[in-house]
Amino acid sequence: MATLIKFFFECRNLAAIIDAEVEERKKSDPNVLKDVKDGSAYKSINFNRGKYDITIILNSDGVRIRKGSKKELWLVMFTIAELPIHLQKSFLSVAGVWYNIKKPDMRTFLKPFVQSMESLDHTGVKWIHPNSSEAHCSCVRMLMAVLDAPARAMVQNTMQFNSRYGCNMCEIKCQKSKPLPDVHRRPRVYNYVHNITLRTKERMLEQAIKACASNVDNVRGVKGPSILNSIPSVDVSKCIVPEYMHSVLIGSVKQLVTIWTEENGNWSIKGKISEVDNFLNTYKHPDFVHRKSRQLKSLSYWKASDFYYFLLFEALPCLHGILLHICFQHFLLLVKAIFTLLKSEITKSDITESDLLLKLFVADFKNLYGDRAQTHNVHQLLHLALCVELYGPLFCFSAFPFEDLNGVIAKATHGTNYVDTEIVNNIVMCEGIEMLRNIVRGHHGVTEHSPSFCQGELLGKEVAKTVLSSEDLNILDDPNAVIYSRARIGYDVYTSQMHKSLSSANFYISWKSTNVTNYGAIKYFAESQGNKFLVVDLFSVDQTRQFYHERSLKCIEHFVPVKSSTSSVALRFSDVSSSIVKVGKIKKFVYLRPNLYRFVM
């Protein structure tokens, strides 16, 4: 790990990236959470932080390399919290590999990592600044671990999620579910409790010592000390939290969709699956949705990103009027809360509101779907607001980037024997190639930037004016205007409705003028009298048709009800380049993203 971190500082200019990030953060509101560095947990372990000290985020998860194989590949991965979100994925690094039939014993698997962290926290990493040639020493602390539920229990050395004390965040006691006719199995369920006793570092350590001294399996779910207790900066009760890819998307959301489509009850939409699937095939997303909508009849093939798009963009318009009204109203609570906690800027009032909505959602779950539906994933929703307060928006501690790297490394293996050796060789080879690239191409000391901002650029060939009506051409009042179908504005490429290749609907937009948000569809782009324009069909907003939760009176603000108007407007690129944003349109609603990142986080 010390070698990797030294390489990042000396060859990938990590210091310059940190400097730029520090300067950028000086402009931000300290009361708004934008990333993990705004969370209270980061601030508590970095109160005496040196200029180039770094904080890492750990991940470990298992993946099967071969179908039918009993062996699993487990990787220890980490990224650096001080990096901006768009660069964290490119700095992901592997610090350990396990390949075996058995799952790893974390006390063995993580021991080298923990020993490295103890050393890095005390003595740091020595490196030479690539620009100034000054010698520096950076201490390295661990902030948190992003893990799924089974791995959380393994790392914390606690009981699994289906045990009597299965929650790793609190000491709630699970109950046996109510008996059902002809069903002998009574799984444990998490009944809603208003006031939950949260776990603490000191209490977990006492329980671990008591469990070992008394020679019992566990004390309130704690089996023994966690291997992470040896790392000075770690609070094992708070550094391992539920992350929304597993807990929410392929947890609670998948559970709900499965209940609606496969189980019997007044909530069932079994007979309307074809209607929903036909509807999902009738529209196109913008290109910020990277996967075509999958049908409900193929639910078993859905991935986490499918549930992400369904939850935030597709479910409300396609289930409105189909799902039982009380269930639809209940689902609105989850949509509203998760969208809010995924925003790029979150206030304290947002956290308080989301916490209330999630509590209402969990409290009503039993009444709607029965006590057996009160699963661990549903219970974990109660802790999400606290996690955001500790570590920033949900995308800051998401498993998505780690899962991507897991898949890439798994696919890089070709043999059937000595897979672990092949993986290690491939990782070392990739690191060596990166080092050579910096030396040979002269990238020594080059800072990595975010995508460049474009004030406005027309793309492609000129389009014949014959494809436009005289009424459309008169909007510019210039017979010599040159027409285009594509353009780059800001950070994105936009198409118009006249563009031939329309695999994605990249022509629905929003922009601001005098603090008012406007919506429309781009007709075409034009260059006229030395200025660049986009001609837009305006939408009018009908607030009377907005989705809202009747009990809490909370609106789903990222779905805006619109209708086409007869007016069009020509906008200068320079006037809208700083505020223009792609939106999607489904039925008579435009929908907005919670954040503007180009990948699901």
Side-chain angles (χ1 to χ4, degrees):
M1 286 186 65
T3 304
L4 276 170
I5 292 167
K6 181 179 179 180
F7 167 70
F8 289 155
F9 275 112
E10 295 184 347
C11 296
R12 295 190 65 181
N13 212 1
L14 179 58
I17 298 173
I18 292 175
D19 288 339
E21 182 71 0
V22 169
E23 289 301 315
E24 186 66 26
R25 288 177 57 77
K26 289 179 180 177
K27 307 172 188 175
S28 59
D29 186 344
N31 297 316
V32 174
L33 278 69
K34 288 187 174 181
D35 64 17
V36 71
K37 296 182 285 297
D38 296 313
S40 59
Y42 180 89
K43 293 176 181 177
S44 67
I45 70 170
N46 285 291
F47 65 93
N48 60 343
R49 181 179 181 275
K51 184 177 181 180
Y52 293 123
D53 288 354
I54 64 173
T55 317
I56 69 164
I57 300 172
L58 174 72
N59 172 265
S60 185
D61 198 4
V63 60
R64 291 200 183 275
I65 299 225
R66 302 280 182 271
K67 288 185 178 180
S69 172
K70 294 182 180 180
K71 288 189 175 182
E72 276 190 5
L73 169 69
W74 283 71
L75 301 174
V76 175
M77 295 177 280
F78 71 92
T79 189
I80 300 171
E82 280 72 22
L83 292 165
I85 290 292
H86 72 274
L87 287 181
Q88 285 187 9
K89 191 173 180 179
S90 66
F91 279 79
L92 273 179
S93 303
V94 179
V97 178
W98 175 286
Y99 186 65
N100 204 294
I101 293 175
K102 295 182 179 179
K103 293 184 184 296
D105 181 337
M106 289 299 175
R107 290 170 296 182
T108 302
F109 185 35
L110 293 180
K111 187 175 181 180
F113 168 81
V114 170
Q115 290 174 338
S116 294
M117 288 303 303
E118 288 181 276
S119 172
L120 293 172
D121 196 327
H122 287 108
T123 61
V125 179
K126 294 180 181 179
W127 53 278
I128 305 297
H129 199 292
N131 297 330
S132 65
S133 299
E134 293 178 356
H136 292 272
C137 183
S138 297
C139 289
V140 182
R141 299 182 178 93
M142 178 179 158
L143 176 64
M144 65 181 304
V146 176
L147 307 164
D148 63 8
R152 288 199 293 270
M154 292 163 65
V155 172
Q156 279 184 307
N157 202 12
T158 57
M159 299 298 288
Q160 289 288 349
F161 60 89
N162 54 357
S163 304
R164 183 171 296 177
Y165 291 94
C167 180
N168 71 302
M169 292 284 291
C170 70
E171 296 184 3
I172 186 173
K173 184 178 180 181
C174 297
Q175 308 295 328
K176 286 283 187 180
S177 59
K178 294 179 181 178
L180 294 176
D182 303 322
V183 179
H184 298 291
R185 184 172 172 270
R186 293 177 61 191
R188 291 191 176 94
V189 296
Y190 290 78
N191 288 318
Y192 175 72
V193 179
H194 182 64
N195 293 315
I196 308 174
T197 302
L198 294 175
R199 296 191 185 274
T200 65
K201 180 180 180 179
E202 294 75 21
R203 188 166 171 79
M204 287 187 75
L205 187 57
E206 289 175 6
Q207 292 163 345
I209 294 171
K210 186 176 180 180
C212 294
S214 306
N215 198 25
V216 295
D217 286 344
N218 70 91
V219 175
R220 289 190 175 268
V222 179
K223 297 193 292 185
S226 168
I227 182 68
L228 297 184
N229 280 332
S230 301
I231 303 176
S233 62
V234 165
D235 179 349
V236 77
S237 69
K238 293 184 175 64
C239 76
I240 302 175
V241 297
E243 57 81 33
Y244 90 105
M245 192 195 98
H246 289 99
S247 297
V248 179
L249 300 179
I250 54 180
S252 302
V253 179
K254 182 178 182 179
Q255 178 185 344
L256 268 177
V257 179
T258 303
I259 289 173
W260 296 335
T261 57
E262 296 181 8
E263 296 185 11
N264 294 320
N266 55 3
W267 59 74
S268 177
I269 60 169
K270 280 183 182 180
K272 299 180 180 179
I273 289 179
S274 296
E275 182 181 342
V276 174
D277 287 345
N278 290 336
F279 171 72
L280 290 173
N281 285 332
T282 58
Y283 67 92
K284 296 174 182 176
H285 286 296
D287 59 8
F288 60 72
V289 176
H290 301 119
R291 188 187 294 275
K292 185 179 178 181
S293 299
R294 289 198 178 180
Q295 298 185 331
L296 289 179
K297 66 182 181 183
S298 304
L299 184 62
S300 58
Y301 297 100
W302 282 29
K303 297 184 179 295
S305 56
D306 294 307
F307 289 106
Y308 174 89
Y309 298 135
F310 186 76
L311 172 71
L312 298 184
F313 306 142
E314 299 170 348
L316 296 191
C318 76
L319 294 179
H320 186 232
I322 292 179
L323 186 64
L324 185 71
H325 180 70
I326 190 172
C327 294
F328 185 82
Q329 283 285 305
H330 179 248
F331 184 58
L332 289 177
L333 294 169
L334 182 64
V335 176
K336 171 77 172 177
I338 299 303
F339 184 91
T340 301
L341 296 179
L342 278 169
K343 291 195 304 185
S344 52
E345 295 185 357
I346 301 177
T347 63
K348 290 182 179 179
S349 61
D350 287 333
I351 296 175
T352 303
E353 179 185 274
S354 298
D355 188 37
L356 174 62
L357 297 178
L358 289 172
K359 284 178 179 176
L360 288 174
F361 179 82
V362 176
D364 290 343
F365 215 86
K366 177 180 178 180
N367 297 332
L368 289 174
Y369 302 109
D371 74 322
R372 293 189 178 220
Q374 298 175 112
T375 61
H376 176 257
N377 288 320
V378 172
H379 166 75
Q380 294 266 282
L381 295 173
L382 297 173
H383 300 306
L384 286 187
L386 172 62
C387 296
V388 169
E389 188 177 332
L390 290 170
Y391 298 107
L394 289 180
F395 57 77
C396 294
F397 51 98
S398 159
F400 274 108
F402 297 104
E403 291 285 341
D404 287 345
L405 182 60
N406 239 342
V408 169
I409 292 175
K411 290 176 183 177
T413 60
H414 304 291
T416 54
N417 297 320
Y418 308 108
V419 172
D420 46 354
T421 305
E422 184 182 3
I423 289 169
V424 171
N425 289 339
N426 287 341
I427 292 169
V428 172
M429 192 183 305
C430 289
E431 290 171 354
I433 290 171
E434 182 66 25
M435 191 173 295
L436 287 172
R437 184 182 74 84
N438 283 275
I439 295 172
V440 174
R441 295 186 180 179
H443 287 186
H444 192 78
V446 174
T447 304
E448 304 193 30
H449 295 282
S450 59
S452 57
F453 181 87
C454 178
Q455 192 73 30
E457 177 188 2
L458 297 166
L459 302 175
K461 298 179 180 179
E462 178 184 347
V463 178
K465 295 177 184 176
T466 53
V467 299
L468 297 174
S469 66
S470 58
E471 186 177 326
D472 288 337
L473 287 171
N474 289 337
I475 296 173
L476 288 172
D477 194 24
D478 179 10
N480 298 318
V482 183
I483 309 301
Y484 292 86
S485 63
R486 292 190 307 139
R488 185 189 303 277
I489 311 173
Y491 296 103
D492 277 313
V493 173
Y494 295 83
T495 59
S496 62
Q497 295 180 76
M498 63 186 292
H499 188 61
K500 291 181 180 179
S501 176
L502 291 177
S503 57
S504 300
N506 293 319
F507 47 81
Y508 295 116
I509 61 169
S510 73
W511 73 97
K512 289 186 178 180
S513 58
T514 60
N515 296 324
V516 175
T517 302
N518 305 283
Y519 304 92
I522 302 172
K523 278 189 168 185
Y524 62 88
F525 304 94
E527 187 168 14
S528 172
Q529 299 176 0
N531 292 313
K532 298 183 181 73
F533 293 91
L534 60 160
V535 176
V536 180
D537 279 337
L538 293 174
F539 293 149
S540 58
V541 178
D542 182 4
Q543 300 290 358
T544 61
R545 294 188 296 107
Q546 195 159 25
F547 293 124
Y548 73 97
H549 185 252
E550 296 167 356
R551 184 172 160 193
S552 65
L553 299 180
K554 299 294 183 183
C555 290
I556 310 300
E557 295 174 350
H558 73 282
F559 273 94
V560 182
V562 297
K563 55 185 178 181
S564 298
S565 66
T566 55
S567 59
S568 299
V569 62
L571 305 170
R572 281 190 178 88
F573 280 25
S574 57
D575 293 337
V576 298
S577 59
S578 60
S579 66
I580 188 171
V581 175
K582 283 181 188 174
V583 299
K585 188 172 185 294
I586 179 169
K587 279 191 173 179
K588 294 182 179 180
F589 294 88
V590 295
Y591 56 85
L592 316 177
R593 288 177 278 176
N595 53 69
L596 299 182
Y597 295 115
R598 288 169 175 74
F599 40 85
V600 178
M601 285 290 288

